[in-house]
Amino acid sequence: PRGDRPVLIFRFSGSRNLDLNNWTVNGPAGRAGDPADDGGDAGPNASGGRGRDGMRLNIWNDGGAINIVNDVSINLPNGGDGGDARADCASATGGPGGNSGNLRMTAAAGIDITAGTLTINPGRGGRGGNAAVDPAEPGAIGCPGEAGRWHGLGAAPIFGTTHAGNDARAPCLI
């Protein structure tokens, strides 16, 4: 969605090569999801907001090669953590974590790394938000006496990395 994550695009046209020489990129991490709180009112459910995705970096050279010269490091950012949720006598669901940043590099004449080193450090997916429920007294006005809570899912890993987060989907009755 619009505004969800920063996108940085370098696009080069014309018949020439692009040399990335001693270049380092540190992308911004995704923002955390908004927290949710039912304000102490019995009954309303609360759901934390989704963590935002990390920066996407796209590098295109339509007219030649991309040459990696000397040391080039691309540090992809982490995804934002999911928002926490708190509810009284209702269900609370933590928000899902955002995806880590990603990279796309394409060149009409190929990518050459023989003149240097290319290091890509993947970010991690955001942690799922926490959920907390105060069940109050069984039978209290507006309270069934049993409430569920679900932690938000951590984001899926990119490049086979693992992520930290609360992955439980099953309800934990309090």
Side-chain angles (χ1 to χ4, degrees):
R2 184 178 180 160
D4 188 37
R5 86 165 119 195
V7 177
L8 188 57
I9 300 173
F10 294 100
R11 187 166 192 165
F12 300 91
S13 299
S15 182
R16 65 178 171 259
N17 291 333
L18 169 63
D19 292 338
L20 300 180
N21 187 352
N22 286 326
W23 197 54
T24 300
V25 175
N26 295 304
R31 290 183 329 204
D34 293 330
D37 190 324
D38 71 0
D41 295 331
N45 296 329
S47 296
R50 182 184 183 286
R52 301 295 189 241
D53 294 341
M55 177 191 76
R56 175 180 287 176
L57 175 62
N58 295 319
I59 303 171
W60 287 302
N61 187 1
D62 295 337
I66 295 176
N67 300 314
I68 305 300
V69 182
N70 295 314
D71 295 320
V72 174
S73 296
I74 299 174
N75 302 305
L76 297 173
N78 298 331
D81 291 340
D84 294 338
R86 192 190 81 64
D88 291 323
C89 304
S91 68
T93 305
N99 295 318
S100 67
N102 65 20
L103 166 71
R104 179 177 180 181
M105 189 182 308
T106 58
I111 299 170
D112 182 0
I113 60 172
T114 59
T117 58
L118 173 61
T119 303
I120 300 173
N121 296 309
R124 64 172 181 79
R127 174 189 64 78
N130 293 313
V133 174
D134 180 4
E137 293 293 320
I141 295 175
C143 294
E146 189 174 299
R149 74 180 166 147
W150 292 265
H151 293 295
L153 285 179
I158 295 184
F159 298 116
T161 61
T162 58
H163 65 282
N166 298 314
D167 293 348
R169 274 194 186 252
C172 300
L173 295 179
I174 299 175

